[in-house]
Amino acid sequence: DIQMTQSPSSLSASVGDRVTITCRASQGISNYLAWFQQKPGKAPKSLIYAASNLQSGVPSKFSGSGSGTDFTLTISSLQPEDFATYYCQQYNSYPRTFGQGTKVEIK
Amino acid sequence: QVQLQESGPGLVKPSGTLSLTCAVSGGSISSSDCWSWVRQPPGKGLEWIGEIYQSESTNYNPSLKSRVTISIDKSKNQFSLKLSSVTAADTAVYYCAREEVGLDVWGQGTTVTVSS
């Protein structure tokens, strides 16, 4: 199985901050990488697919980059509604695997 | 726009079979090629269970493969999950999702508790 490792596991940030989350794959996955946002008690919401493509309706403050084994999710200016847990997921090979999650909290 | 809704028993006895259905509304299940199941144990991360294609071919997580069956019923516009020989470790929120551009549409999730 491909292991997906996110860093950090949690972070504290202020409204307006620029936030970057990293996801590393244990082997190359080309650009078959997705990012999700999950709020407590809610289903995950797809933000980005194919490493850098924004899902329809997702604000442009979210951006993704990377290829191969190293990927990043950036939130350009953190807003109150962005405090949540973020997951990466590879869909290059089976089984599909998720990162352990990064919890973004209010400082 | 397509919406997904999971349904099924919220409580399953140990060694029993968990059975869930995902109803597709706002569009035809035949309009997308791949449909998936993901679960999340309490306080933990996401685990991919498996997927089914329009051709009815399936892919499962090897960690669950011997116990999992995913099927599709195009006449009812739904797909289903069965997980046999359940234990407390199968207690989780179960989500169904469409895979088109990644897992782009998700159901709200349904909580299944395994307990006697």
Side-chain angles (χ1 to χ4, degrees):
Chain A
D1 298 6
I2 296 177
Q3 305 302 315
M4 305 300 292
T5 303
Q6 290 181 230
S7 59
S9 294
S10 65
L11 65 92
S12 295
S14 300
V15 171
D17 282 354
R18 180 183 181 90
V19 168
T20 297
I21 298 169
T22 296
C23 179
R24 176 164 289 175
S26 60
Q27 62 191 76
I29 60 170
S30 184
N31 68 334
Y32 293 101
L33 191 283
W35 288 98
F36 301 90
Q37 177 194 65
Q38 187 179 33
K39 297 180 179 179
K42 299 295 187 182
K45 174 186 175 182
S46 179
L47 299 176
I48 287 170
Y49 66 97
S52 60
N53 293 274
L54 229 54
Q55 286 285 4
S56 176
V58 173
S60 59
K61 62 182 171 180
F62 292 98
S63 63
S65 65
S67 183
T69 60
D70 294 313
F71 302 86
T72 59
L73 171 70
T74 299
I75 309 171
S76 61
S77 177
L78 204 64
Q79 297 302 305
E81 63 270 20
D82 302 328
F83 292 94
T85 299
Y86 293 84
Y87 293 94
C88 62
Q89 182 226 3
Q90 67 80 19
Y91 53 102
N92 178 76
S93 62
Y94 295 105
R96 311 310 198 196
T97 46
F98 292 87
Q100 81 279 15
T102 295
K103 188 173 184 178
V104 177
E105 298 175 301
I106 301 172
K107 182 183 284 185
Chain B
Q1 67 190 43
V2 170
Q3 293 183 308
L4 307 180
Q5 178 68 59
E6 305 89 348
S7 63
L11 181 64
V12 181
K13 294 186 187 305
S15 77
T17 297
L18 178 161
S19 296
L20 298 175
T21 295
C22 181
V24 179
S25 61
S28 170
I29 197 169
S30 298
S31 67
S32 296
D33 196 33
C34 185
W35 303 89
S36 302
W37 288 95
V38 175
R39 71 179 183 178
Q40 185 170 37
K44 296 188 177 180
L46 300 166
E47 179 182 29
W48 181 79
I49 297 171
E51 66 188 11
I52 187 164
Y53 286 84
Q54 286 296 319
S55 62
E56 301 192 25
S57 68
T58 54
N59 293 293
Y60 299 134
N61 194 321
S63 67
L64 301 169
K65 187 173 183 177
S66 62
R67 301 192 290 129
V68 172
T69 302
I70 297 175
S71 58
I72 190 168
D73 188 334
K74 299 174 189 177
S75 67
K76 293 184 178 178
N77 223 37
Q78 63 187 35
F79 62 108
S80 300
L81 169 71
K82 290 188 186 299
L83 182 66
S84 63
S85 304
V86 297
T87 69
D90 296 309
T91 293
V93 177
Y94 286 77
Y95 297 101
C96 58
R98 181 183 76 176
E99 180 160 0
E100 199 154 273
V101 281
L103 293 169
D104 60 340
V105 178
W106 293 63
Q108 66 184 29
T110 188
T111 298
V112 178
T113 301
V114 178
S115 175
S116 56

mmCIF file of all heavy atoms in Angstrom, chain A residues 31-67:
data_model
loop_
_atom_site.group_PDB
_atom_site.id
_atom_site.type_symbol
_atom_site.label_atom_id
_atom_site.label_comp_id
_atom_site.label_asym_id
_atom_site.label_seq_id
_atom_site.Cartn_x
_atom_site.Cartn_y
_atom_site.Cartn_z
ATOM 1 N N ASN A 31 0.308 12.719 -10.541
ATOM 2 C CA ASN A 31 -0.492 13.810 -9.964
ATOM 3 C C ASN A 31 -1.846 13.312 -9.479
ATOM 4 O O ASN A 31 -2.803 14.078 -9.355
ATOM 5 C CB ASN A 31 -0.696 14.923 -10.983
ATOM 6 C CG ASN A 31 -1.580 14.499 -12.132
ATOM 7 O OD1 ASN A 31 -1.665 13.321 -12.455
ATOM 8 N ND2 ASN A 31 -2.258 15.452 -12.756
ATOM 9 N N TYR A 32 -1.943 12.013 -9.146
ATOM 10 C CA TYR A 32 -3.220 11.435 -8.720
ATOM 11 C C TYR A 32 -3.436 11.670 -7.226
ATOM 12 O O TYR A 32 -3.431 10.735 -6.404
ATOM 13 C CB TYR A 32 -3.268 9.950 -9.065
ATOM 14 C CG TYR A 32 -3.288 9.700 -10.555
ATOM 15 C CD1 TYR A 32 -2.130 9.315 -11.238
ATOM 16 C CD2 TYR A 32 -4.458 9.866 -11.287
ATOM 17 C CE1 TYR A 32 -2.138 9.102 -12.607
ATOM 18 C CE2 TYR A 32 -4.477 9.658 -12.661
ATOM 19 C CZ TYR A 32 -3.313 9.276 -13.303
ATOM 20 O OH TYR A 32 -3.324 9.068 -14.655
ATOM 21 N N LEU A 33 -3.629 12.928 -6.899
ATOM 22 C CA LEU A 33 -3.700 13.349 -5.509
ATOM 23 C C LEU A 33 -4.882 14.293 -5.325
ATOM 24 O O LEU A 33 -5.078 15.222 -6.120
ATOM 25 C CB LEU A 33 -2.394 14.051 -5.120
ATOM 26 C CG LEU A 33 -2.057 14.397 -3.667
ATOM 27 C CD1 LEU A 33 -2.807 15.618 -3.147
ATOM 28 C CD2 LEU A 33 -2.283 13.223 -2.729
ATOM 29 N N ALA A 34 -5.681 14.025 -4.298
ATOM 30 C CA ALA A 34 -6.840 14.865 -3.993
ATOM 31 C C ALA A 34 -6.724 15.404 -2.578
ATOM 32 O O ALA A 34 -6.064 14.805 -1.726
ATOM 33 C CB ALA A 34 -8.127 14.055 -4.135
ATOM 34 N N TRP A 35 -7.382 16.538 -2.354
ATOM 35 C CA TRP A 35 -7.449 17.148 -1.020
ATOM 36 C C TRP A 35 -8.908 17.315 -0.618
ATOM 37 O O TRP A 35 -9.749 17.699 -1.433
ATOM 38 C CB TRP A 35 -6.784 18.520 -1.010
ATOM 39 C CG TRP A 35 -5.291 18.515 -1.106
ATOM 40 C CD1 TRP A 35 -4.536 18.699 -2.230
ATOM 41 C CD2 TRP A 35 -4.366 18.325 -0.031
ATOM 42 N NE1 TRP A 35 -3.207 18.633 -1.923
ATOM 43 C CE2 TRP A 35 -3.061 18.410 -0.572
ATOM 44 C CE3 TRP A 35 -4.500 18.100 1.340
ATOM 45 C CZ2 TRP A 35 -1.905 18.282 0.207
ATOM 46 C CZ3 TRP A 35 -3.354 17.976 2.113
ATOM 47 C CH2 TRP A 35 -2.066 18.060 1.546
ATOM 48 N N PHE A 36 -9.189 17.049 0.672
ATOM 49 C CA PHE A 36 -10.533 17.159 1.218
ATOM 50 C C PHE A 36 -10.511 17.996 2.489
ATOM 51 O O PHE A 36 -9.529 17.987 3.237
ATOM 52 C CB PHE A 36 -11.100 15.777 1.558
ATOM 53 C CG PHE A 36 -11.171 14.846 0.377
ATOM 54 C CD1 PHE A 36 -10.104 14.021 0.066
ATOM 55 C CD2 PHE A 36 -12.294 14.823 -0.427
ATOM 56 C CE1 PHE A 36 -10.156 13.177 -1.023
ATOM 57 C CE2 PHE A 36 -12.354 13.978 -1.533
ATOM 58 C CZ PHE A 36 -11.278 13.160 -1.830
ATOM 59 N N GLN A 37 -11.628 18.674 2.735
ATOM 60 C CA GLN A 37 -11.850 19.417 3.975
ATOM 61 C C GLN A 37 -12.980 18.738 4.731
ATOM 62 O O GLN A 37 -14.007 18.412 4.135
ATOM 63 C CB GLN A 37 -12.254 20.850 3.647
ATOM 64 C CG GLN A 37 -12.598 21.717 4.846
ATOM 65 C CD GLN A 37 -13.307 23.001 4.406
ATOM 66 O OE1 GLN A 37 -14.416 22.969 3.872
ATOM 67 N NE2 GLN A 37 -12.648 24.116 4.638
ATOM 68 N N GLN A 38 -12.787 18.524 6.031
ATOM 69 C CA GLN A 38 -13.863 17.935 6.829
ATOM 70 C C GLN A 38 -14.077 18.741 8.102
ATOM 71 O O GLN A 38 -13.131 18.975 8.858
ATOM 72 C CB GLN A 38 -13.560 16.478 7.184
ATOM 73 C CG GLN A 38 -14.747 15.791 7.859
ATOM 74 C CD GLN A 38 -14.478 14.335 8.195
ATOM 75 O OE1 GLN A 38 -13.370 13.940 8.517
ATOM 76 N NE2 GLN A 38 -15.534 13.515 8.107
ATOM 77 N N LYS A 39 -15.315 19.140 8.316
ATOM 78 C CA LYS A 39 -15.694 19.811 9.550
ATOM 79 C C LYS A 39 -16.368 18.815 10.478
ATOM 80 O O LYS A 39 -16.913 17.796 10.000
ATOM 81 C CB LYS A 39 -16.600 21.001 9.237
ATOM 82 C CG LYS A 39 -15.877 22.053 8.404
ATOM 83 C CD LYS A 39 -16.744 23.237 8.067
ATOM 84 C CE LYS A 39 -15.943 24.248 7.261
ATOM 85 N NZ LYS A 39 -16.747 25.434 6.874
ATOM 86 N N PRO A 40 -16.347 19.062 11.787
ATOM 87 C CA PRO A 40 -16.891 18.087 12.748
ATOM 88 C C PRO A 40 -18.321 17.691 12.441
ATOM 89 O O PRO A 40 -19.181 18.548 12.208
ATOM 90 C CB PRO A 40 -16.787 18.841 14.080
ATOM 91 C CG PRO A 40 -15.654 19.770 13.896
ATOM 92 C CD PRO A 40 -15.728 20.217 12.462
ATOM 93 N N GLY A 41 -18.557 16.380 12.411
ATOM 94 C CA GLY A 41 -19.896 15.852 12.174
ATOM 95 C C GLY A 41 -20.380 15.940 10.743
ATOM 96 O O GLY A 41 -21.543 15.629 10.463
ATOM 97 N N LYS A 42 -19.495 16.334 9.839
ATOM 98 C CA LYS A 42 -19.878 16.495 8.430
ATOM 99 C C LYS A 42 -19.075 15.561 7.540
ATOM 100 O O LYS A 42 -18.006 15.073 7.921
ATOM 101 C CB LYS A 42 -19.643 17.940 7.970
ATOM 102 C CG LYS A 42 -20.448 18.968 8.747
ATOM 103 C CD LYS A 42 -21.932 18.803 8.523
ATOM 104 C CE LYS A 42 -22.728 19.927 9.163
ATOM 105 N NZ LYS A 42 -24.198 19.735 8.976
ATOM 106 N N ALA A 43 -19.591 15.328 6.340
ATOM 107 C CA ALA A 43 -18.866 14.533 5.357
ATOM 108 C C ALA A 43 -17.689 15.336 4.810
ATOM 109 O O ALA A 43 -17.722 16.573 4.792
ATOM 110 C CB ALA A 43 -19.800 14.148 4.211
ATOM 111 N N PRO A 44 -16.660 14.638 4.360
ATOM 112 C CA PRO A 44 -15.567 15.343 3.680
ATOM 113 C C PRO A 44 -16.095 16.075 2.453
ATOM 114 O O PRO A 44 -17.046 15.640 1.810
ATOM 115 C CB PRO A 44 -14.619 14.213 3.285
ATOM 116 C CG PRO A 44 -14.910 13.109 4.252
ATOM 117 C CD PRO A 44 -16.388 13.204 4.497
ATOM 118 N N LYS A 45 -15.432 17.175 2.158
ATOM 119 C CA LYS A 45 -15.757 17.967 0.976
ATOM 120 C C LYS A 45 -14.529 17.998 0.080
ATOM 121 O O LYS A 45 -13.425 18.291 0.543
ATOM 122 C CB LYS A 45 -16.135 19.393 1.372
ATOM 123 C CG LYS A 45 -16.342 20.338 0.194
ATOM 124 C CD LYS A 45 -16.567 21.764 0.670
ATOM 125 C CE LYS A 45 -16.655 22.736 -0.497
ATOM 126 N NZ LYS A 45 -16.821 24.143 -0.039
ATOM 127 N N SER A 46 -14.725 17.671 -1.185
ATOM 128 C CA SER A 46 -13.612 17.674 -2.125
ATOM 129 C C SER A 46 -13.200 19.099 -2.456
ATOM 130 O O SER A 46 -14.035 19.927 -2.815
ATOM 131 C CB SER A 46 -14.006 16.928 -3.397
ATOM 132 O OG SER A 46 -12.934 16.943 -4.313
ATOM 133 N N LEU A 47 -11.902 19.378 -2.327
ATOM 134 C CA LEU A 47 -11.376 20.707 -2.662
ATOM 135 C C LEU A 47 -10.616 20.687 -3.987
ATOM 136 O O LEU A 47 -10.804 21.559 -4.833
ATOM 137 C CB LEU A 47 -10.425 21.197 -1.567
ATOM 138 C CG LEU A 47 -10.970 21.384 -0.162
ATOM 139 C CD1 LEU A 47 -9.837 21.772 0.782
ATOM 140 C CD2 LEU A 47 -12.065 22.438 -0.155
ATOM 141 N N ILE A 48 -9.720 19.715 -4.118
ATOM 142 C CA ILE A 48 -8.770 19.681 -5.226
ATOM 143 C C ILE A 48 -8.630 18.243 -5.722
ATOM 144 O O ILE A 48 -8.640 17.296 -4.922
ATOM 145 C CB ILE A 48 -7.406 20.235 -4.778
ATOM 146 C CG1 ILE A 48 -7.503 21.763 -4.620
ATOM 147 C CG2 ILE A 48 -6.277 19.863 -5.730
ATOM 148 C CD1 ILE A 48 -6.300 22.406 -3.968
ATOM 149 N N TYR A 49 -8.515 18.084 -7.034
ATOM 150 C CA TYR A 49 -8.215 16.795 -7.636
ATOM 151 C C TYR A 49 -7.055 16.964 -8.606
ATOM 152 O O TYR A 49 -6.732 18.094 -9.006
ATOM 153 C CB TYR A 49 -9.444 16.207 -8.352
ATOM 154 C CG TYR A 49 -9.891 17.020 -9.557
ATOM 155 C CD1 TYR A 49 -9.496 16.671 -10.840
ATOM 156 C CD2 TYR A 49 -10.713 18.131 -9.401
ATOM 157 C CE1 TYR A 49 -9.891 17.407 -11.934
ATOM 158 C CE2 TYR A 49 -11.112 18.885 -10.491
ATOM 159 C CZ TYR A 49 -10.706 18.516 -11.761
ATOM 160 O OH TYR A 49 -11.109 19.250 -12.847
ATOM 161 N N ALA A 50 -6.445 15.852 -8.939
ATOM 162 C CA ALA A 50 -5.272 15.875 -9.838
ATOM 163 C C ALA A 50 -4.242 16.903 -9.368
ATOM 164 O O ALA A 50 -3.681 17.651 -10.168
ATOM 165 C CB ALA A 50 -5.700 16.138 -11.277
ATOM 166 N N ALA A 51 -4.029 16.917 -8.063
ATOM 167 C CA ALA A 51 -2.988 17.707 -7.399
ATOM 168 C C ALA A 51 -3.217 19.206 -7.387
ATOM 169 O O ALA A 51 -2.901 19.864 -6.381
ATOM 170 C CB ALA A 51 -1.611 17.400 -7.964
ATOM 171 N N SER A 52 -3.766 19.760 -8.465
ATOM 172 C CA SER A 52 -3.814 21.220 -8.539
ATOM 173 C C SER A 52 -5.112 21.775 -9.118
ATOM 174 O O SER A 52 -5.223 22.993 -9.292
ATOM 175 C CB SER A 52 -2.637 21.738 -9.376
ATOM 176 O OG SER A 52 -2.692 21.221 -10.685
ATOM 177 N N ASN A 53 -6.065 20.901 -9.421
ATOM 178 C CA ASN A 53 -7.319 21.357 -10.022
ATOM 179 C C ASN A 53 -8.387 21.587 -8.972
ATOM 180 O O ASN A 53 -8.731 20.670 -8.212
ATOM 181 C CB ASN A 53 -7.805 20.337 -11.046
ATOM 182 C CG ASN A 53 -6.887 20.254 -12.246
ATOM 183 O OD1 ASN A 53 -7.026 21.015 -13.193
ATOM 184 N ND2 ASN A 53 -5.927 19.348 -12.195
ATOM 185 N N LEU A 54 -8.928 22.805 -8.973
ATOM 186 C CA LEU A 54 -9.959 23.155 -8.005
ATOM 187 C C LEU A 54 -11.296 22.535 -8.408
ATOM 188 O O LEU A 54 -11.700 22.618 -9.579
ATOM 189 C CB LEU A 54 -10.114 24.676 -7.966
ATOM 190 C CG LEU A 54 -10.115 25.370 -6.622
ATOM 191 C CD1 LEU A 54 -8.888 25.025 -5.809
ATOM 192 C CD2 LEU A 54 -10.218 26.874 -6.808
ATOM 193 N N GLN A 55 -11.982 21.917 -7.440
ATOM 194 C CA GLN A 55 -13.324 21.437 -7.711
ATOM 195 C C GLN A 55 -14.234 22.640 -7.978
ATOM 196 O O GLN A 55 -14.004 23.743 -7.476
ATOM 197 C CB GLN A 55 -13.872 20.631 -6.528
ATOM 198 C CG GLN A 55 -13.272 19.255 -6.369
ATOM 199 C CD GLN A 55 -13.780 18.233 -7.370
ATOM 200 O OE1 GLN A 55 -14.563 18.543 -8.275
ATOM 201 N NE2 GLN A 55 -13.326 17.003 -7.221
ATOM 202 N N SER A 56 -15.276 22.404 -8.734
ATOM 203 C CA SER A 56 -16.257 23.436 -9.027
ATOM 204 C C SER A 56 -16.826 24.021 -7.738
ATOM 205 O O SER A 56 -17.204 23.282 -6.825
ATOM 206 C CB SER A 56 -17.390 22.843 -9.865
ATOM 207 O OG SER A 56 -18.404 23.790 -10.080
ATOM 208 N N GLY A 57 -16.842 25.334 -7.656
ATOM 209 C CA GLY A 57 -17.426 25.998 -6.497
ATOM 210 C C GLY A 57 -16.473 26.235 -5.347
ATOM 211 O O GLY A 57 -16.823 26.925 -4.385
ATOM 212 N N VAL A 58 -15.272 25.696 -5.425
ATOM 213 C CA VAL A 58 -14.293 25.877 -4.338
ATOM 214 C C VAL A 58 -13.575 27.215 -4.550
ATOM 215 O O VAL A 58 -13.094 27.490 -5.652
ATOM 216 C CB VAL A 58 -13.288 24.714 -4.306
ATOM 217 C CG1 VAL A 58 -12.175 24.981 -3.298
ATOM 218 C CG2 VAL A 58 -14.018 23.415 -3.966
ATOM 219 N N PRO A 59 -13.511 28.051 -3.505
ATOM 220 C CA PRO A 59 -12.888 29.372 -3.688
ATOM 221 C C PRO A 59 -11.410 29.286 -4.034
ATOM 222 O O PRO A 59 -10.708 28.354 -3.623
ATOM 223 C CB PRO A 59 -13.113 30.060 -2.337
ATOM 224 C CG PRO A 59 -13.471 28.988 -1.387
ATOM 225 C CD PRO A 59 -14.049 27.867 -2.168
ATOM 226 N N SER A 60 -10.967 30.284 -4.758
ATOM 227 C CA SER A 60 -9.596 30.294 -5.289
ATOM 228 C C SER A 60 -8.534 30.541 -4.217
ATOM 229 O O SER A 60 -7.336 30.478 -4.515
ATOM 230 C CB SER A 60 -9.470 31.351 -6.394
ATOM 231 O OG SER A 60 -9.794 32.627 -5.876
ATOM 232 N N LYS A 61 -8.947 30.799 -2.969
ATOM 233 C CA LYS A 61 -7.955 30.900 -1.896
ATOM 234 C C LYS A 61 -7.281 29.551 -1.624
ATOM 235 O O LYS A 61 -6.224 29.488 -1.019
ATOM 236 C CB LYS A 61 -8.591 31.428 -0.616
ATOM 237 C CG LYS A 61 -9.684 30.540 -0.045
ATOM 238 C CD LYS A 61 -10.281 31.163 1.203
ATOM 239 C CE LYS A 61 -11.515 30.388 1.663
ATOM 240 N NZ LYS A 61 -12.117 30.989 2.885
ATOM 241 N N PHE A 62 -7.923 28.461 -2.075
ATOM 242 C CA PHE A 62 -7.325 27.142 -1.966
ATOM 243 C C PHE A 62 -6.515 26.856 -3.236
ATOM 244 O O PHE A 62 -6.981 27.104 -4.344
ATOM 245 C CB PHE A 62 -8.391 26.054 -1.814
ATOM 246 C CG PHE A 62 -9.135 26.108 -0.518
ATOM 247 C CD1 PHE A 62 -10.382 26.725 -0.442
ATOM 248 C CD2 PHE A 62 -8.606 25.533 0.631
ATOM 249 C CE1 PHE A 62 -11.075 26.779 0.762
ATOM 250 C CE2 PHE A 62 -9.291 25.581 1.828
ATOM 251 C CZ PHE A 62 -10.528 26.216 1.897
ATOM 252 N N SER A 63 -5.318 26.315 -3.048
ATOM 253 C CA SER A 63 -4.525 25.908 -4.200
ATOM 254 C C SER A 63 -3.697 24.682 -3.840
ATOM 255 O O SER A 63 -3.362 24.462 -2.666
ATOM 256 C CB SER A 63 -3.610 27.043 -4.679
ATOM 257 O OG SER A 63 -2.683 27.385 -3.678
ATOM 258 N N GLY A 64 -3.421 23.885 -4.831
ATOM 259 C CA GLY A 64 -2.638 22.686 -4.629
ATOM 260 C C GLY A 64 -1.511 22.618 -5.637
ATOM 261 O O GLY A 64 -1.616 23.149 -6.739
ATOM 262 N N SER A 65 -0.429 21.962 -5.236
ATOM 263 C CA SER A 65 0.701 21.795 -6.144
ATOM 264 C C SER A 65 1.422 20.509 -5.824
ATOM 265 O O SER A 65 1.190 19.877 -4.780
ATOM 266 C CB SER A 65 1.660 22.986 -6.028
ATOM 267 O OG SER A 65 2.251 23.016 -4.742
ATOM 268 N N GLY A 66 2.316 20.118 -6.727
ATOM 269 C CA GLY A 66 3.146 18.951 -6.512
ATOM 270 C C GLY A 66 2.937 17.874 -7.553
ATOM 271 O O GLY A 66 1.962 17.892 -8.310
ATOM 272 N N SER A 67 3.866 16.948 -7.552
ATOM 273 C CA SER A 67 3.808 15.793 -8.450
ATOM 274 C C SER A 67 4.816 14.775 -7.959
ATOM 275 O O SER A 67 5.821 15.145 -7.329
ATOM 276 C CB SER A 67 4.127 16.217 -9.885
ATOM 277 O OG SER A 67 3.995 15.117 -10.764
#
